[in-house]
Amino acid sequence: ASVVVLRVLLIPAIGIPQPRWNDEFSYLLAADTFAHGKITNPTHPMWIHFESFHIVQHPTYMSMYAPAQGLALAAGQKLGNPWIGQLLATAALCSAMCWMLQGWLPPAWALFGGMLALLRLGLLSYWVNGYWGGSVVALGGALLLGALPRIYKRSRARDAVVMALGIALLANSRPYEGLVVSIPFAAAMMVWVYQNRLHRRTWINVVLPLTALLVLSAAATGYYYARVTGSPFRLAYQVNRETYATAPYFLWQKPRPEPVYNHAVMRDFYRWELTQFEDNRTLRGALDRTRAKLKGMWSFYLGPALSLPLFALPWILRDRRMRFPLIALAVFLTGLVPQTWTFPHYFAPATGLLYLILIQGVRHMRL
């Protein structure tokens, strides 16, 4: 409620955000499609004149991105403006951050962390003041992280449902980063299930609903891509990159041959991408790009004030309760290294992990 009220009160000063970047217009295409009750659009007979960035034209006309952000914006469009969906998603994120922290920390500290998320992410960040989708991704990560200690403690079916919802959001917003952040959780859950395999409650309340919902989510995702690309195992992102891009997504891959472009502006854009990829593969370029990535993420998530809790890292490393969050965050950061590009919202699945470690650092500093 605070996120919604405070940001609405700021409308006379900073207005309602307008889309600026290619990615945002792609998400808005998905939102408009979903808001009209459609999964995708038929290819226009004169599609060659309507080519644009981050959109697939064949076999259907649709955004190349996963559907979760488009669904959130579509809900906002139904309420009057796509940005309303982004605002509500960001409000849900800040609420989920508080709920997540309550599973790991005392309630007062969880509320403190939720308020920090409100101030840092909920009012002036480009997540709430744009259409990129960082809030939806971070919401999935927070639900996943918050469900884990509750399942350990109580083995309730509702916590398994929340965990499944978090995984589904990650898989349908940022599939690669969502997969990487989920790997430590999958390992932890398998160990826990093995340790509690003789308890009937474990199988009925956790394993069964979690498995059923993940299978249902995978089927729904597969159906979506079958309608968009013709195959349940072929992402729209893959179709777009194979159609237009020469620079691969990961640094170990090789550039593809340049396709025949219909428009000079498209050719120039993807040639610019290729120069970035090739620069990343040199030692100096890799160091410069890594420094730029770290600076961008530090500026967005931390800044000077929220860097202070990191001074308590030596104490956090000796904190048994923080062992899993630290390992999960390390695995996630390792997964980001080989990417050609990394923007702050690429880190969004691990936002909850970062805030948990930060608040625990504040607690150690207070002592």
Side-chain angles (χ1 to χ4, degrees):
S2 299
V3 172
V4 174
V5 171
L6 292 174
R7 182 57 185 86
V8 168
L9 290 175
L10 289 173
I11 288 179
I14 61 178
I16 293 175
Q18 298 299 312
R20 297 177 55 202
W21 305 100
N22 303 335
D23 309 70
E24 295 179 289
F25 287 103
S26 179
Y27 284 125
L28 288 169
L29 168 62
D32 192 58
T33 301
F34 296 144
H36 282 84
K38 297 184 292 183
I39 293 179
T40 188
N41 307 281
T43 299
H44 196 281
M46 301 180 68
W47 65 269
I48 197 170
H49 301 288
F50 296 95
E51 281 188 303
S52 189
F53 302 101
H54 308 328
I55 291 170
V56 297
Q57 300 285 348
H58 294 284
T60 63
Y61 171 54
M62 189 52 172
S63 167
M64 77 172 188
Y65 290 115
Q69 172 66 3
L71 289 169
L73 297 178
Q77 184 167 325
K78 283 292 189 180
L79 294 173
N81 189 297
W83 178 69
I84 296 174
Q86 187 65 25
L87 177 62
L88 294 177
T90 306
L93 163 63
C94 294
S95 299
M97 291 288 284
C98 181
W99 173 84
M100 175 274 294
L101 290 168
Q102 287 171 349
W104 292 86
L105 305 173
W109 288 103
L111 179 61
F112 175 63
M115 296 304 294
L116 281 183
L118 183 155
L119 295 173
R120 191 75 188 179
L121 306 173
L123 298 179
L124 299 176
S125 76
Y126 77 91
W127 284 7
V128 70
N129 295 301
Y131 303 89
W132 288 83
S135 298
V136 172
V137 186
L139 172 60
L143 294 178
L144 178 62
L145 181 57
L148 186 68
R150 290 173 168 88
I151 289 175
Y152 283 174
K153 188 175 182 179
R154 300 186 181 92
S155 298
R156 295 179 301 191
R158 70 182 188 186
D159 297 320
V161 171
V162 171
M163 176 173 280
L165 177 60
I167 295 172
L169 281 176
L170 291 170
N172 288 281
S173 54
R174 295 210 64 85
Y176 171 72
E177 291 85 357
L179 172 64
V180 173
V181 82
S182 299
I183 289 173
F185 288 88
M189 284 296 294
M190 285 189 288
V191 170
W192 179 81
V193 169
Y194 177 78
Q195 292 173 343
N196 295 273
R197 63 190 181 279
L198 300 180
H199 295 281
R200 185 166 174 264
R201 184 183 180 90
T202 300
W203 295 96
I204 295 177
N205 286 4
V206 178
V207 177
L208 183 61
L210 182 61
T211 303
L213 288 172
L214 289 180
V215 169
L216 182 63
S217 171
T221 302
Y223 176 74
Y224 170 77
Y225 285 116
R227 291 289 303 275
V228 175
T229 70
S231 169
F233 306 106
R234 187 168 171 79
L235 307 184
Y237 192 97
Q238 292 174 277
V239 173
N240 177 272
R241 299 299 294 179
E242 291 171 5
T243 303
Y244 297 109
T246 56
Y249 193 70
F250 297 104
L251 295 176
W252 70 72
Q253 297 173 314
K254 294 181 179 180
R256 287 181 287 270
E258 183 175 280
V260 177
Y261 294 107
N262 298 309
H263 307 281
V265 66
M266 301 280 285
R267 179 199 63 208
D268 294 343
F269 176 82
Y270 289 106
R271 284 182 177 177
W272 168 76
E273 276 195 351
L274 183 60
T275 61
Q276 286 199 318
F277 170 78
E278 291 174 340
D279 188 47
N280 273 356
R281 300 185 78 178
T282 66
L283 178 60
R284 180 173 181 179
L287 292 174
D288 289 342
R289 292 286 295 170
T290 300
R291 182 166 56 248
K293 291 175 183 178
L294 292 175
K295 181 180 179 181
M297 287 193 288
W298 174 83
S299 177
F300 179 80
Y301 288 98
L302 298 174
L306 292 185
S307 297
L308 295 176
L310 297 180
F311 284 107
L313 199 56
W315 289 268
I316 298 174
L317 291 172
R318 296 195 294 267
D319 191 337
R320 286 189 61 190
R321 191 166 177 78
M322 290 295 105
R323 190 171 299 165
F324 173 78
L326 288 168
I327 293 173
L329 186 59
V331 170
F332 181 74
L333 289 173
T334 303
L336 294 185
V337 171
Q339 289 180 313
T340 303
W341 299 277
T342 302
F343 295 99
H345 55 277
Y346 287 27
F347 184 87
T351 303
L353 289 167
L354 177 63
Y355 269 72
L356 173 57
I357 292 169
L358 287 176
I359 301 304
Q360 188 72 345
V362 175
R363 295 180 70 203
H364 280 289
M365 291 181 71
R366 180 173 179 270
L367 294 176

